[in-house]
Amino acid sequence: MRHVATASVLAATCLSLAACSGGDGKSDPQPSPRTALKFGQTADTAGADGKGTAQITPETVVYVDKAGADAPEHGLFAVVTFKAGNRAKDSVSITAAQGGFRWKTLDGKTIKAGNSEGAGNIDPIGFNDAGGKPTVRANTYQVNTVAFDISSVEKGGTLVYVDGDGVAFRWKVPATSAGPAANALKSALK
């Protein structure tokens, strides 16, 4: 009988701890911490304003010291291609045009996508611009780009995407140009 009473007390304690773990019931406005994904790994993310689900997959990164006529203010452009997919029957918008992408440096500094005039102007031919094409049609995917103006010591940072529910997804970015579209992206940036 003693074991049953102990088990009941433990069960009640666990339930009350689970119920109380939310604190005051208010949501934390900060992006939630998550384990970093491998570059090229897909994350199921909430669409803009929490509507729908978009699959985000960063696939390629290139580091260039010039993109067309634009030169970086901090020494280097980091341009990342990402696939935005939608398996649903309705279109979904991603948060890239609303500042959803960030670059976190090894020393903890956060850089917003398009953080300089040059980075904001990057729109390589053959790739959709994330700011201009934030909506992904039903049952399709599109390859977009996002660019950051960084210094050479900030290569190999962490790409952060904050979805429509405020959840942060992280990918460790290679410190050298890499990915299936690296050569095509470099050519498109000339």
Side-chain angles (χ1 to χ4, degrees):
M1 194 67 172
R2 186 171 200 204
H3 295 295
V4 173
T6 303
S8 296
V9 170
L10 285 174
T13 303
C14 289
L15 286 175
S16 64
L17 284 174
C20 295
S21 64
D24 60 4
K26 295 179 182 175
S27 63
D28 183 1
Q30 299 298 316
S32 64
R34 289 183 166 259
T35 303
L37 300 167
K38 290 182 181 180
F39 200 71
Q41 191 173 0
T42 300
D44 288 327
T45 68
D49 300 321
K51 297 177 184 170
T53 301
Q55 294 180 315
I56 303 295
T57 312
E59 297 184 310
T60 297
V61 62
V62 297
Y63 298 99
V64 293
D65 57 9
K66 193 171 185 181
D70 291 312
E73 293 175 15
H74 303 287
L76 203 60
F77 288 126
V79 184
V80 177
T81 67
F82 67 95
K83 188 187 305 182
N86 178 8
R87 292 185 182 174
K89 62 180 181 171
D90 296 319
S91 294
V92 65
S93 293
I94 59 174
T95 62
Q98 301 165 341
F101 277 106
R102 293 146 192 173
W103 185 276
K104 189 152 188 156
T105 64
L106 297 175
D107 64 359
K109 184 171 115 182
T110 300
I111 301 167
K112 289 184 179 181
N115 60 313
S116 69
E117 186 176 339
N121 288 334
I122 291 179
D123 186 13
I125 295 171
F127 298 89
N128 290 318
D129 173 39
K133 304 278 187 197
T135 301
V136 184
R137 292 188 326 265
N139 294 307
T140 63
Y141 75 89
Q142 61 196 33
V143 178
N144 296 312
T145 60
V146 63
F148 304 88
D149 191 333
I150 64 172
S151 68
S152 61
V153 297
E154 295 169 332
K155 290 167 64 173
T158 300
L159 182 69
V160 179
Y161 177 75
V162 180
D163 74 1
D165 284 342
V167 177
F169 296 85
R170 293 170 174 76
W171 294 265
K172 179 67 179 128
V173 182
T176 59
S177 295
N183 290 335
L185 184 56
K186 279 184 183 180
S187 294
L189 292 169
K190 289 184 179 180

